[in-house]
Amino acid sequence: TNSLLNAKKMSTEGANSGGSSEMEVDAVAISDSTRKQKAAELMELKNPNMSLAQSIHQMTVIVNGTLEDPACVGLSSDLPETVMKMIAGPEVENPSLYRHLRDSVLLPSPGSYSFDLPNEDELTAMETRHRATLEKLEAKVEDAKENAGEMEVLAARFEIARFAAKCLGKVEAIAAYDKILALPKLSSGKIIDTIMECARVASFYGDTKKNGELVDKAVKLSNEGGDWDRRNRLKVYSAMNKILNRDFKGAASLLVDCIATFSCNELCSYSDFIVYAILTNILHLPRTEVKAKIVDGPEILSILNEIPVVYKLVCSLYDCDYKAFLHTLVEVQPILIADRFLQPHAGYLLRELHVLGYKQFLESYKSVTLESMASSFGVGTEFLDLQLSRFIAAGRLTAKIDKFGGVVETNRPDLKNAQYRETIQKGDLLLNRIQKLARVVDL
């Protein structure tokens, strides 16, 4: 009896172990297929390549001399050659983009490069190959219409659009995405994906207006019926569009919400995203939130070695180390210039950061000597006097300078009186509008 029981137990254990091993194999197969699917999705989202757009911007500021020392932001002086070879090579092979950069960036600065450019015959040969590829892809669409279903037609249309985004110009790529949107019975998710890809094309070519229109349209659709992942990624799209339009306050709240859930690698790298989040939020977040969300943020701490200068900037301001803060601003300037989203606003950001530092310092004093303040910031009194007088005259600092006594006196704003005056002004405007409306109604 014992032997029979042991045999039954062994057979049961064998069956269980066999079943578990089969389950493990199935789990591995599922994970592999999921990984391959994710990799395929990332490859689809690669075009247009937004890291290439960043490299093109960096090449431009190097060639035209705006960025004097590329090495200070980790860039090589050979970047123009690398970028142009990439655009002309098999990885991108975009002749229209190559011609544009050659004529608008390289040729006006002949001494800025020392490599040979492809001749016109080579570029024409590329265009001939692209026309042949487009004909094959269009034939694939027609074949899908006749012999397959709507999903196959959609996939074929996406293939054309992504090829256009990679190898053709902005007009052709946007037209290809418009054809996708014109397909019948398109799900809301696919519509949002199409608009997001089209927005990246507009952003790649610097069309801020078109990019903004597309992002706003996608956000509206997402709010009506999009899933969490698309809404999360669209926050980053909206934030980057707001940065381009200098709405840093609007961008700041969107960016800080996505720090822990960032998944928008097709638009920018995570380290670049964190730089945008820090620089926008440092201007608008209260001190306590700066400490919790930025200075001590675990996601930010995990990539400190990638963004040392920007993190040093926010920490020096939080720690009231004004000399380090002002010196770090000098190091931040080339980082702003080397970034395609921040470079148009580099002067504005540096000015606002100066104002922020001076304002935070003056909040602690009723009056302070120019010499003491200049020593705290590590600058000369003449330089400080010039900067403070400009910001005071512009209404950015509530203070006045006693030039004879060499003292800066702060004026504490009376918030209640300011609110009262604002209410009176708005009330007067409202009454005027009501009176105008009454006259129109009487007529």
Side-chain angles (χ1 to χ4, degrees), residues 276-297:
Y276 304 141
I278 290 176
L279 291 176
T280 53
N281 280 279
I282 192 177
L283 295 173
H284 300 288
L285 273 186
R287 250 179 91 79
T288 53
E289 293 187 37
V290 167
K291 172 70 170 172
K293 295 181 178 180
I294 295 179
V295 175
D296 293 338

Side-chain angles (χ1 to χ4, degrees), residues 397-410:
L397 293 175
T398 56
K400 60 182 181 180
I401 301 174
D402 180 358
K403 187 72 174 178
F404 179 77
V407 174
V408 181
E409 298 178 0
T410 58

Side-chain angles (χ1 to χ4, degrees), residues 282-284 287 317 320 322 325-326 351-366 368 373 377 384 387-388 391-392 394-399 408 410-413:
I282 192 177
L283 295 173
H284 300 288
R287 250 179 91 79
L317 180 66
C320 301
Y322 298 108
F325 174 71
L326 218 58
R351 184 170 65 251
E352 292 300 307
L353 288 167
H354 274 92
V355 170
L356 183 63
Y358 294 143
K359 188 180 291 185
Q360 180 174 294
F361 178 88
L362 291 171
E363 281 176 356
S364 304
Y365 298 92
K366 187 173 179 63
V368 61
M373 186 173 178
F377 280 92
L384 183 64
Q387 282 219 308
L388 290 179
F391 293 138
I392 291 170
R396 302 304 313 280
L397 293 175
T398 56
V408 181
T410 58
N411 301 322
R412 304 291 180 189

Side-chain angles (χ1 to χ4, degrees), residues 228-282:
W228 178 88
D229 179 64
R230 290 186 176 95
R231 285 199 300 273
N232 189 57
R233 285 165 54 211
L234 276 169
K235 283 184 180 180
V236 182
Y237 279 72
S238 298
M240 303 316 297
N241 183 56
K242 288 179 185 294
I243 287 176
L244 288 171
N245 290 298
R246 201 173 283 185
D247 179 9
F248 291 110
K249 189 172 184 179
S253 58
L254 292 171
L255 291 170
V256 79
D257 285 346
C258 296
I259 288 177
T261 58
F262 178 80
S263 61
C264 201
N265 294 292
E266 75 273 12
L267 195 60
C268 63
S269 67
Y270 187 60
S271 58
D272 285 344
F273 167 80
I274 292 297
V275 169
Y276 304 141
I278 290 176
L279 291 176
T280 53
N281 280 279
I282 192 177

Side-chain angles (χ1 to χ4, degrees), residues 110-404:
S112 61
Y113 65 96
S114 58
F115 54 92
D116 295 329
L117 301 173
N119 58 42
E120 197 60 31
D121 291 339
E122 293 177 271
L123 298 177
T124 304
M126 284 185 208
E127 292 175 329
T128 303
R129 290 196 297 273
H130 292 343
R131 281 194 292 271
T133 302
L134 275 177
E135 289 174 5
K136 290 180 182 177
L137 293 174
E138 287 290 352
K140 191 174 178 181
V141 172
E142 295 302 319
D143 180 64
K145 286 179 180 178
E146 294 177 5
N147 304 315
E150 294 172 353
M151 293 301 295
E152 288 75 15
V153 173
L154 176 62
R157 278 288 170 209
F158 263 120
E159 196 173 348
I160 292 176
R162 286 162 181 160
F163 173 77
K166 174 188 171 186
C167 300
L168 306 181
K170 180 185 77 172
V171 175
E172 294 89 344
I174 291 177
Y177 281 109
D178 285 341
K179 288 182 179 179
I180 296 175
L181 294 172
L183 292 174
K185 300 180 182 179
L186 206 60
S187 68
S188 60
K190 289 298 180 184
I191 292 173
I192 293 170
D193 289 342
T194 305
I195 294 173
M196 288 167 72
E197 289 191 29
C198 195
R200 288 207 307 280
V201 171
S203 176
F204 184 92
Y205 287 97
D207 191 343
T208 306
K209 182 180 178 182
K210 182 69 174 177
N211 177 55
E213 292 172 355
L214 290 166
V215 170
D216 290 342
K217 185 177 179 182
V219 169
K220 186 178 179 181
L221 288 170
S222 179
N223 290 336
E224 292 173 358
D227 60 16
W228 178 88
D229 179 64
R230 290 186 176 95
R231 285 199 300 273
N232 189 57
R233 285 165 54 211
L234 276 169
K235 283 184 180 180
V236 182
Y237 279 72
S238 298
M240 303 316 297
N241 183 56
K242 288 179 185 294
I243 287 176
L244 288 171
N245 290 298
R246 201 173 283 185
D247 179 9
F248 291 110
K249 189 172 184 179
S253 58
L254 292 171
L255 291 170
V256 79
D257 285 346
C258 296
I259 288 177
T261 58
F262 178 80
S263 61
C264 201
N265 294 292
E266 75 273 12
L267 195 60
C268 63
S269 67
Y270 187 60
S271 58
D272 285 344
F273 167 80
I274 292 297
V275 169
Y276 304 141
I278 290 176
L279 291 176
T280 53
N281 280 279
I282 192 177
L283 295 173
H284 300 288
L285 273 186
R287 250 179 91 79
T288 53
E289 293 187 37
V290 167
K291 172 70 170 172
K293 295 181 178 180
I294 295 179
V295 175
D296 293 338
E299 294 83 9
I300 294 175
L301 293 173
S302 68
I303 60 163
L304 280 187
N305 59 328
E306 298 177 44
I307 53 166
V309 175
V310 177
Y311 187 74
K312 180 183 175 184
L313 179 76
V314 68
C315 286
S316 59
L317 180 66
Y318 182 80
D319 295 335
C320 301
D321 186 353
Y322 298 108
K323 184 182 289 186
F325 174 71
L326 218 58
H327 290 180
T328 308
L329 279 179
V330 178
E331 300 176 50
V332 166
Q333 183 179 12
I335 295 174
L336 300 179
I337 291 172
D339 188 274
R340 63 188 295 261
F341 291 102
L342 299 176
Q343 189 267 340
H345 316 294
Y348 171 83
L349 281 167
L350 290 171
R351 184 170 65 251
E352 292 300 307
L353 288 167
H354 274 92
V355 170
L356 183 63
Y358 294 143
K359 188 180 291 185
Q360 180 174 294
F361 178 88
L362 291 171
E363 281 176 356
S364 304
Y365 298 92
K366 187 173 179 63
S367 65
V368 61
T369 63
L370 268 172
E371 188 176 348
S372 174
M373 186 173 178
S375 175
S376 296
F377 280 92
V379 295
T381 53
E382 291 183 3
F383 173 82
L384 183 64
D385 179 47
L386 178 63
Q387 282 219 308
L388 290 179
S389 59
R390 285 172 50 207
F391 293 138
I392 291 170
R396 302 304 313 280
L397 293 175
T398 56
K400 60 182 181 180
I401 301 174
D402 180 358
K403 187 72 174 178
F404 179 77

